[in-house]
Amino acid sequence: MFPNPLDFANLPTLRTNKPDDAPFTKEEIPLVIKNIHEKKAPGPDGIDNIIIQKINKRFPILFMELFNKCLHLGTFPDPLKFGNIILFKKEGKPEDEASSYRPISLLPTIGKVLDKLLTQRLNYHLERLKEISDNQYGFREGRSTELAIHHLIQKINECKKKSPHVLVLSIDIKGTFDNIQHSSNVNYLDNCHSPKNISSIFRNLLLN
């Protein structure tokens, strides 16, 4: 159902020579933890989101030391990668076909917080280095479906001034996430010159 994890033996050598990113700050972590939904179901560890919030409020140094150790080692702890998979059947679909079910993965909240922190850092560097196409609207701050539609209509109107006919081609790639090649992600991280520890920890995340 999902792509195979990277084989450590076949993993290309880390090519980036960029310096490590700075440690997470005491301001970054509480902000991410504060924004996690309290009522979301927990992962295999059974620790509810509200418990993570209470722990961080009482012992703020605890998670900061944990996450910065992960960043320093370039390692995403294996226990935080495991999740409970729950299948939801799509309405009107046959029960005997795998494509009739939508999988939901319940991951440990601690891992989700670390993932969010890393994603924020990576996005910052990609935006700063202009490594993200200006035509990408998904998964970007300040971008939305409404903005994409607005720009599309704007482009159509511009073309109609030059020609009475305008053709718009829309493509939907089935199972994009399920079939993406992890090795391509690794190569992209190397080529975009992201900090060494950020590249290392994302590579480690894709190993299993």
Side-chain angles (χ1 to χ4, degrees):
M1 184 178 293
F2 299 104
N4 292 324
L6 290 173
D7 184 349
F8 208 24
N10 297 325
L11 190 65
T13 304
L14 186 65
R15 296 192 301 271
T16 182
N17 57 359
K18 294 294 179 179
D20 284 347
D21 206 9
F24 297 119
T25 67
K26 61 181 181 180
E27 291 80 21
E28 279 181 281
I29 296 171
L31 187 60
V32 171
I33 292 178
K34 179 183 177 181
N35 290 326
I36 59 178
H37 297 287
E38 294 182 1
K39 297 182 180 180
K40 290 282 187 179
D45 57 7
I47 302 176
D48 290 305
N49 293 357
I50 193 172
I51 300 299
I52 301 297
Q53 293 173 333
K54 295 293 186 182
I55 292 175
N56 187 69
K57 188 174 182 179
R58 181 68 177 84
F59 307 102
I61 197 68
L62 185 63
F63 288 125
M64 188 170 72
E65 290 188 348
L66 170 62
F67 296 146
N68 279 328
K69 178 60 71 173
C70 294
L71 187 62
H72 173 71
L73 296 175
T75 301
F76 200 103
D78 285 344
L80 302 183
K81 302 176 186 178
F82 293 99
N84 292 329
I85 305 296
I86 299 177
L87 300 178
F88 290 92
K89 184 177 175 297
K90 300 175 183 177
E91 187 176 355
K93 298 292 184 179
E95 296 183 356
D96 57 347
E97 294 183 10
S99 60
S100 299
Y101 298 87
R102 181 179 292 106
I104 302 295
S105 180
L106 301 179
L107 297 165
T109 299
I110 297 175
K112 288 191 287 187
V113 172
L114 177 57
D115 180 88
K116 178 66 175 179
L117 289 165
L118 293 169
T119 301
Q120 289 181 165
R121 289 291 187 93
L122 180 60
N123 283 338
Y124 168 77
H125 289 291
L126 295 179
E127 294 281 3
R128 180 177 61 86
L129 298 171
K130 300 187 183 304
E131 291 287 348
I132 302 179
S133 171
D134 194 50
N135 293 321
Q136 178 179 328
Y137 291 85
F139 306 103
R140 297 183 71 181
E141 285 191 20
R143 299 293 184 100
S144 64
T145 303
E146 291 81 2
L147 185 60
I149 294 173
H150 170 74
H151 286 169
L152 175 61
I153 294 175
Q154 191 176 50
K155 187 68 175 179
I156 291 173
N157 291 333
E158 290 174 1
C159 292
K160 287 175 69 176
K161 294 177 182 178
K162 303 175 183 178
S163 172
H165 303 290
V166 178
L167 175 65
V168 176
L169 179 62
S170 177
I171 300 175
D172 180 21
I173 302 176
K174 182 179 180 181
T176 305
F177 177 79
D178 298 343
N179 295 291
I180 193 170
Q181 297 300 310
H182 289 169
S183 57
S184 297
N185 290 340
V186 169
N187 288 331
Y188 178 77
L189 286 172
D190 285 345
N191 295 330
C192 73
H193 307 295
S194 60
K196 185 177 180 180
N197 54 355
I198 296 292
S199 294
S200 295
I201 199 167
F202 273 109
R203 286 160 63 95
N204 181 266
L205 178 59
L206 295 171
L207 284 175
N208 53 33

